[in-house]
Amino acid sequence: MNFLKKALDFIFPPTCGICGKIAKSYLCTNCKRNLINSQIFLNQSNSYQNKYINEHFYIFSYEGIIREKILQYKFKEYSYLSNTFCEFFINNKKLYGFLKKYDIITPVPISNLRKRERGYNQSDLIARKVAEFANITYYPKILIKIKNNKPQSTLNKEHRLENVKNVYKIQNLEKIKEKNILLFDDIYTTGATANECARLLKQAGAQELGILTLAKDI
Ligand SMILES: [Zn+2]
């Protein structure tokens, strides 16, 4: 496997997702130095207006080059950027200290229609790799999206709350009872999606509920 990876890296060397240069990984040394802040931001639940999320970790504020890259990732089919985003999590040792208590990582789901259009669930690709590196069980099929609602990015705060109602459903209930769950999403904006997913997970018996996102729109 290792040999195969090395051979593939030789034929198709990774390019840095931020600057586009060929590099040893999907994030070159320069961009790593410029962008990685060893700090991981943590918001405890009391700073949020909801009772379902215990804590929220994120690495970037949603602006500048990070915002640009997330938009390309979500709307321009740049799926390889998931590798670059993963580098930010993987290189953040402080994060693993925080994540130790979680039993399961699960991504915010997207609808089947959206998945067909885009070809991938942007949160699933990243969460899967973060789980592997942090050695946390990954269950992608706990939350499912049963309605194809409007994209949250097209709506204002009030409409976003309304838009996520009755959109998600829990399955595989037995997997989450009394477990500490870490929900992964790419961006935290108003928190409407995260709150709704967290509410369902808590009501289904999850113990601690944390959110991990790449960025937060501040
Ligand atoms: Zn670079």
Side-chain angles (χ1 to χ4, degrees), residues 16 19 28 31:
C16 172
C19 69
C28 76
C31 292

Side-chain angles (χ1 to χ4, degrees), residues 55-118:
E55 48 193 10
H56 173 206
F57 311 99
Y58 60 98
I59 295 185
F60 296 107
S61 59
Y62 186 55
E63 58 189 3
I65 185 80
I66 292 297
R67 181 172 179 274
E68 197 181 299
K69 292 293 161 184
I70 292 178
L71 288 171
Q72 285 180 348
Y73 181 51
K74 285 178 81 160
F75 302 110
K76 299 232 156 125
E77 296 170 13
Y78 285 21
S79 66
Y80 74 90
L81 277 172
S82 68
N83 298 307
T84 305
F85 295 144
C86 279
E87 292 287 329
F88 293 121
F89 292 102
I90 290 162
N91 286 291
N92 199 316
K93 295 201 174 68
K94 200 171 173 189
L95 178 67
Y96 295 114
F98 285 130
L99 300 189
K100 264 184 206 151
K101 70 171 168 205
Y102 289 97
D103 303 302
I104 292 167
I105 294 190
T106 197
V108 167
I110 58 174
S111 69
N112 286 334
L113 176 69
R114 187 83 33 83
K115 194 171 174 186
R116 269 202 303 278
E117 284 166 2
R118 190 183 290 155

